């Protein structure tokens, strides 16, 4: 469904992506996991065609998008939903105005169909009745839901999540992860990038661990646990350690 073949990108002298090859199957939730600055958001920008790689190829289905112009990308972009790292919502507009924004711009639907669509999506994300509330009055978790709702407005075949739970408390984070799984069950192929290991393990059918712009390991959670790669071991060790600490703590008398 999505394939990166030897993708490299540099800004001036700084290598951002270093010979990245990745393959994401239709319908799966693929997680790209890596520390801050590893190149996660850059990979998303390459996959959605916002950036072109210096070398290598990027396939969406059978189409190589690595050299397409913004205009040539448009039909493909309609098949994609993007949930940006900082949500990129219009804070002074209402929930309804945000969710319907692209439908009004490009959807060709009349206003009553748009209303219907918005209320169907809001009910799917458990925010029914919030149409008239302004974004800046919402909590972080609700804003993230609205960002997901907007990404769903075109029934995307592929949905990208950039750090979907960053900044959320554990309960809201869990409900966003549950929502990502429910979106996936509707049939979309999902790509989530995160630095949070628990999130990756919770939702990922496959994981790709990246560091300094390069893929260091790809596979299932079980593959990661068996990895001999030093970076993967170090990254996963933190969680082992937390789990071990919890196990040894006596919570109950
Ligand atoms: N437009 C740009 N010009 C120059 N360098 C950039 C640009 N965008 C990103 N970078 C650099 O590319 C590297 C990777 O950035 P990227 O945003 O992809 O990382 P990330 O893994 O998403 O990090 P984070 O977890 O902090 O969001 C960083 O060193 C960043 O400073
Ligand atoms: Mg990022």
């Amino acid at each position: 469904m999505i394939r990166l073949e030897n993708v490299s990108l540099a800004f001036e002298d700084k290598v951002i992506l270093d010979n990245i090859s990745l393959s994401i199957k239709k319908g799966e939730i693929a997680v790209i996991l890596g520390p801050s600055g590893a190149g996660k958001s850059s990979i998303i920008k390459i996959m959605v065609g916002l950036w072109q790689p210096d070398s290598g190829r990027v396939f969406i289905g059978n189409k190589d998008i690595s050299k397409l112009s913004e205009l040539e990308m448009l039909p493909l972009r309609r098949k994609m939903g993007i949930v940006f790292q900082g949500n990129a919502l219009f804070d002074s507009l209402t929930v309804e105005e945000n969710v319907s924004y692209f439908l009004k711009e490009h959807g060709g639907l009349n206003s009553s169909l748009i209303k219907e669509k918005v209320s169907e999506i809001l009910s799917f994300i458990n925010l029914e009745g919030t149409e008239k509330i302004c974004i800046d009055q919402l909590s972080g978790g609700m804003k993230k839901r609205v960002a997901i709702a907007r990404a769903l407005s075109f029934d995307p075949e592929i949905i990208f999540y950039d750090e979907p739970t960053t900044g959320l408390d554990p309960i809201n984070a869990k409900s966003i992860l549950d929502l990502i799984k429910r979106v996936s069950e509707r049939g979309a192929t999902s790509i989530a990038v995160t630095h949070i290991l628990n999130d990756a393990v919770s939702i990922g059918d496959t994981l790709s661990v990246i560091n300094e712009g390069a893929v260091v390991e790809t596979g299932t959670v079980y593959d990661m646990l068996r990895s001999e790669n030093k970076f993967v071991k170090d990254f996963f060790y933190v969680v082992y350690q937390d789990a071990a600490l919890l196990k040894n703590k006596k919570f109950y008398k």
Side-chain angles (χ1 to χ4, degrees):
M1 179 87 197
I2 303 177
R3 210 166 72 247
L4 265 53
E5 276 180 13
N6 308 107
V7 165
S8 292
L9 177 73
F11 285 121
E12 291 168 7
D13 283 348
K14 190 173 175 351
V15 174
I16 309 290
L17 300 178
D18 182 10
N19 201 27
I20 295 235
S21 292
L22 273 179
S23 190
I24 294 162
K25 290 199 205 87
K26 191 170 171 18
E28 75 175 350
I29 303 181
V31 174
I32 297 169
L33 175 68
S36 188
K40 304 179 298 294
S41 297
S42 304
I43 293 181
I44 289 193
K45 285 172 191 151
I46 293 267
M47 283 180 172
V48 302
L50 281 171
W51 287 357
Q52 295 184 348
D54 297 332
S55 59
R57 303 201 296 171
V58 181
F59 289 91
I60 304 290
N62 293 324
K63 194 156 181 73
D64 181 0
I65 65 156
S66 54
K67 302 220 164 33
L68 294 189
S69 67
E70 201 39 40
L71 198 66
E72 290 167 324
M73 260 317 288
L74 276 183
L76 277 165
R77 192 73 61 60
R78 283 196 182 192
K79 298 181 179 179
M80 301 172 170
I82 310 171
V83 181
F84 291 96
Q85 192 159 353
N87 297 327
L89 294 168
F90 303 106
D91 284 347
S92 57
L93 300 185
T94 64
V95 169
E96 182 177 37
E97 285 163 339
N98 270 277
V99 177
S100 64
Y101 192 82
F102 298 117
L103 286 172
K104 282 183 183 153
E105 295 271 296
H106 309 289
L109 298 177
N110 67 34
S111 60
S112 75
L113 282 174
I114 289 178
K115 251 191 163 48
E116 222 171 88
K117 181 87 196 163
V118 170
S119 98
E120 183 255 314
I121 299 173
L122 289 181
S123 131
F124 177 74
I125 62 160
N126 299 327
L127 277 186
E128 50 272 275
T130 59
E131 280 88 340
K132 302 294 172 215
I133 300 179
C134 221
I135 298 298
D136 54 17
Q137 291 174 295
L138 299 179
S139 70
M142 287 164 98
K143 282 182 188 166
K144 189 57 76 182
R145 282 173 184 279
V146 176
I148 295 175
R150 188 179 59 181
L152 290 177
S153 63
F154 270 97
D155 296 316
E157 288 175 28
I158 310 170
I159 179 156
F160 297 88
Y161 302 91
D162 194 347
E163 301 280 0
T165 68
T166 299
L168 300 182
D169 64 79
I171 293 170
N172 268 300
K174 173 155 187 330
S175 80
I176 293 297
L177 296 175
D178 289 343
L179 179 56
I180 292 174
K181 289 186 213 167
R182 287 204 295 125
V183 169
S184 162
E185 282 157 15
R186 280 161 66 123
T189 303
S190 311
I191 295 101
V193 308
T194 180
H195 65 276
I196 303 171
L197 182 57
N198 282 328
D199 291 4
V201 170
S202 155
I203 60 172
D205 295 315
T206 59
L207 311 186
S208 297
V209 177
I210 66 164
N211 187 34
E212 295 180 350
V215 176
V216 293
E217 195 77 87
T218 300
T220 62
V221 175
Y222 301 102
D223 296 327
M224 297 302 146
L225 296 176
R226 284 196 293 263
S227 173
E228 288 300 321
N229 179 282
K230 170 146 181 11
F231 181 80
V232 176
K233 281 185 154 183
D234 286 350
F235 210 94
F236 274 67
Y237 177 73
V238 181
V239 171
Y240 290 150
Q241 213 179 21
D242 285 353
L245 275 176
L246 286 176
K247 222 172 164 182
N248 291 334
K249 266 218 155 92
K250 293 208 172 10
F251 290 107
Y252 304 103
K253 292 200 172 123

